[in-house]
Amino acid sequence: ALPISQDESIGLRLFFLACCPPRFRHEYVRAWSLVTRSSPRRNDYSPDRIAALGMLTVLSKLLLLPLCLLHAAKPLCRTEHRGAPQDGTWRNCTVQIGGLAIQGPDAFREALGPTFQDYLTTVLNASHGLEFEALPLNFDENFLYVGSKSLDFIYSNPAAYTCLMVEFKLTTVASLMNFRKGESLDTFAGVIFTQVNSSFNTVQDLRDAHIEAVSISGLGAMQLQQAELLSQGLNVMTDVKRLTFTNNQNSIVEDVQNGIADVGFVRTDMIDRSVAKGSTKWEYFKVINEIADATFPFKRSTGFTPEWPIGALDHVPNDVKKLIGRALMDLDRDHPDPLLSTPGQNGSFKTWVPPMNYLDLLGMLESINYYSPSQRKCLRNSDVYEAIICPAGYVKQSVEQAFCADCTEGYTCLCNPCSKLNSPELVLKATEISSSWPGAVDTEQLANLTFYSPSCQRMELCTTTAVGQNLTWTVLDQIGMDNRLMINAPLLSSVEIKTSFAGDWEAMVMENITVNGLSTQRFSVTTTALVAGTQIVQLRVNGEQADMSPVVANYVEAPLKVLNCPVGQQAEGDTGLCSACPEGTAGSGGTAMCKACDPGTFQPLPGQEYCQACPVGTSSPLAGARQCESCEAGRSTRGKAGRTECDACEPGQAAPEIGSERCTPCVRGTYSETDGAVGCETCPAGQTTRDLGARNASLCGCQEGEYLAQGQAGSRKCKACLYPGTTCPGFGSYPLVSPGYYISPDAQKDAWDLDVWKCGAGDSCPGQMNTSSDPVCADRLQGINCGLCPDGSTKIGSACYDCSESSGAAVIPMGLFGLFCIFGLYHFFHERLNQSAGDNRNVLGPVVLGIGLAYVQALGIYDQLSFVWPERFLPFLDLSRIALLRPDAFQLPCLVKMSITSAYLLPLFMPVIAFLVMFLWLPVTRVASMISCERLKPFTRAGLLNSSGKILQGLYIAIVTVTVSILDCYRSPNGQTTVRAHPFAVCGGTEYGRLLPFAVLGVLVYVVGLLSFFAYLQHVAPKKYAQDPTFRIATRFLFYKFNPSCWWYGMTLLLRSLAVAMVTTVAPDNGHVQFLLMFTFLLLGLVAHAYYQPYVDKYSNYIEIWVIVLLLLTIGMGSWFVDPRRVEEDPTLAGTMATLLIVCSGLSLALLMGG
């Protein structure tokens, strides 16, 4: 055992590892690791130097080579295949895998030798002739071996591996899947623990702790904890009482348990492994900064990091990397094959998985100053001193001072590695130099008011002294030249000062001094306080503004000795005499000087104590005034005394007189646009203003209820709003259309005579609530009175609906066919009723049906009255549209283009069409009877006449309403009249005139003709009813439901229906007259029905009476809505009335359905 140098030791080791067979290399590495220890000093061996040392040692130990070669089994693959391409392969050679042995070489061989050496050799020797050798390494050897390419694969902790990967371009082959507590884990974390009864509970408590970690390179036992604590404001390298590196995690657990250390850093499963060995118990410890995590089987204090990886150096062929990766991933501790399960059981892992991401660790390593991005290099395990980064305001101690002298052998200990610098870095202050003062100066008072700060701070008062005082400004460097060199801080080459904001920079004189053993520099300059007031003092060091700059210097006049003068007098200079205050000034006597009257005050007399405030309406802009000036016209003092100037009247105000105390707001109907107005101008065209004080002509406008109308020759004038039909907000707004009225969007909105139409259906014209640009029609409605929909759509209620594909020409035959079928079914059941004419029970159903039709038609007439029905009641009125044969109810606009002609004629001819369709059943049933050999009885003409008469009788209100609808014209506010049923049509037009002959014909046929025909039938009935069976069958609809004594009552119902249908035609515009007529007709019908009780079925009489009563209640409550202003004045009552209307209608429908 000859003594060799450290360089020779490293070279000799590399030589043996390169040449000797595995059994010699194992023993050599184990022996070498025992005799060499890592040092806190850094030994940086570059790859070139290592190679040179290796060559030197090989030459000097050449005699050992034959001995190694005698025992060599297979050559090293990287030597045998040197220079081979990456896509090549290795065969019949030895592959070396280095691994970080954090628990020592023996533990490494025991745990991972079966994997990296035995298993891989067994699997790949037969197929490729490859043998494998596992080399246990410490942290520094990781970088040494990889940097010199003295092995082929490296297995290391994730942080060290990430550094190796970045520095030496490694390729990750696989990642370990650990096995702990019966679970497979691909991550781990760090634990911060202490004795269970210790006083250390929080992160901040650790500042007073003796902490043990494994090393600066330990990930789970140092770096993870270091990063976590740093994120919480604690730098474990500098902020704790003592930091010890043990190089072994087992030692950390033992030392904390035995009280040698206060706190320990270990990997998450370390304590559990010690517990499993029986060397400790968890009850002895508690975890600091514990993170609750039910998904992880171990206690932890930090975030996670991926498990350990294995990577290949860049000289390893890609094929070999894949071979190793696949072979490792085939391992599974639960595999039935012992070859694949034994390595995992020995190494306490589950399997190997594809490479995980390790580059994310670089950010953490950079945060703890372990990795330098600019150099792309990490610290080594021995770089403990280099890892010390002192915080701002501290300087790193020397090596001898930073490391503890009482450190245990084999440990590395840090004790207070940083020394705090004096603060602040530079001290600026002012000191006085003796000065001579005149005899009038009160030097005692001067000494009391003088102030000098011992250390001037930024924007704070540095000194208060008298004008004429001589000062010395000094700057002291508290760091010192030696410390500046140690912390690489700049030396002070120049210091300049500027003692006033407008002054010049002066260079301060430097002198070397020693303060409390510190060699440093002091800079000084002498100045004199020349001007009273506050000065900003600035300091510039090496051309840059100093941290404490600028500071404040307060210079005051030297206090004089006290001289008490009477009120209204002041002392004169140094004479000691008192004189009266002149005009324009005042004085309180004593030591005070006379003071000029402030602006806004005056004093016409000498020797006065106070100045007087300028009276209201006057001002004095300058100090020392003897008199005040009156305000000019157009200006005032706003009612205040003591003004320095008179304010110009603002727009909207005026001051017509000189010396005005206040400006007067312009009265309503006038305005003022300019500042300082003498008078207000009158609004044009009879307009007024909303409030007093109008500021411009744009605020002029017509008052509420009026609008600015366009008169003749372009003149404009306020005109009363058209009511009903419009509302006028006034003041520049156009008239707004009221709900239920219409103005064309193209109409002139400020015309003298507004073109306002009254809508037939109020809900179609919602009115304009906000502005005249709001739409006047609901939904997509258009045209006069919003009575039309766009082509391709039909009007239902107050909305337009698109016509469906089935709403076209195909509807005509389908509608006729449907009508044909409905009439046939109705006649069939009606005939069955005829056959049981003697059974009165069959009368109730048809009677109730007729009453229901009459009720719905009556609601349709209500819908046409000049009432503003509440919106909630409109759905009940909409039920009447079909019963009144309204075109929009049958979607006729989808069949033909909507006009007054089509809208009137189509419903007018609908009864004729229905009559013809019904009589088509005569030939149809006869043919069916012939085909069925008379098993099916054909319909008779008399029976069809009876069914037709029943339908005409039931729909008589609707037929009369359709017939006279062209004559039912109501008047709009613009004087025009429109058809009530078709409000888009103007009465009296050309097209309207062409329809009058049809109207006359319809009245003669439907109104006069039908009524006369039914009267004739009743006239001849007494003679023919019993004698003529055909007559009896054809006219049964007139008599079957009445008592024999009231057989004539059918004409009474027809006359009542005629009267109800003609109400709006007789009184088209007056809602009150409409109410009286409707109420009278219904009341007469009620009295007659109650008196005669004509129906053969008594329940039918009750239902008829109750329905009429409900109709009377409905029209009675509806009359409240004749005047829309009632709704606006009392919305609560309007809501109550609407609810009662709905209740009445609901009762009616329920009564009819029950009947």
Side-chain angles (χ1 to χ4, degrees), residues 573-590:
D574 298 332
T575 63
L577 300 176
C578 296
S579 61
C581 295
E583 296 89 340
T585 67
S588 59

Side-chain angles (χ1 to χ4, degrees), residues 12 139 256 259 306 358 413 420 506 555 681 686 716 805 1008 1037 1114 1155:
L12 182 59
F139 278 107
V256 174
Y358 296 96
C413 307
K420 184 174 178 63
E506 294 184 67
Y555 302 141
E681 302 181 36
R716 289 179 174 273
E805 295 180 359
V1008 178
F1037 69 92
T1114 301

Side-chain angles (χ1 to χ4, degrees), residues 792-841:
S793 60
T794 182
K795 182 173 181 289
I796 301 177
S798 61
C800 294
Y801 295 88
D802 293 333
C803 296
S804 62
E805 295 180 359
S806 61
S807 299
V811 172
I812 297 176
M814 292 176 63
L816 292 175
F817 179 74
L819 190 63
F820 176 76
C821 294
I822 292 172
F823 284 167
L825 291 173
Y826 174 78
H827 177 71
F828 175 76
F829 288 108
H830 199 239
E831 282 296 293
R832 292 186 62 187
L833 180 65
N834 290 340
Q835 296 172 5
S836 57
D839 188 356
N840 291 339
R841 289 178 299 173

Side-chain angles (χ1 to χ4, degrees), residues 1000-1070:
V1000 173
L1001 179 62
V1003 170
L1004 291 176
V1005 174
Y1006 292 140
V1007 181
V1008 178
L1010 280 178
L1011 195 62
S1012 300
F1013 179 67
F1014 289 155
Y1016 168 75
L1017 292 177
Q1018 288 203 337
H1019 175 70
V1020 300
K1023 297 180 180 180
K1024 301 185 68 175
Y1025 195 82
Q1027 300 173 1
D1028 189 349
T1030 302
F1031 179 84
R1032 185 167 61 250
I1033 294 174
T1035 61
R1036 186 178 184 279
F1037 69 92
L1038 283 173
F1039 312 107
Y1040 79 100
K1041 58 185 176 183
F1042 300 113
N1043 291 315
S1045 61
C1046 295
W1047 59 272
W1048 48 266
Y1049 201 81
M1051 280 302 298
T1052 304
L1053 294 180
L1054 288 175
L1055 291 173
R1056 188 185 72 184
S1057 298
L1058 176 63
V1060 169
M1062 295 295 292
V1063 167
T1064 56
T1065 305
V1066 174
D1069 298 305
N1070 194 321

Side-chain angles (χ1 to χ4, degrees), residues 245 271 274 298 318 345 373 400 508 517 573 585 599 678 687 776 791 807 823 838 966 1051 1069 1084 1122:
F245 298 115
I271 298 178
S274 297
F298 299 105
N318 293 332
Q345 295 169 1
E400 292 75 14
M508 302 184 76
T585 67
V678 177
Q687 300 180 81
V776 295
D791 293 341
S807 299
F823 284 167
I966 194 71
M1051 280 302 298
D1069 298 305
L1084 290 175
V1122 172

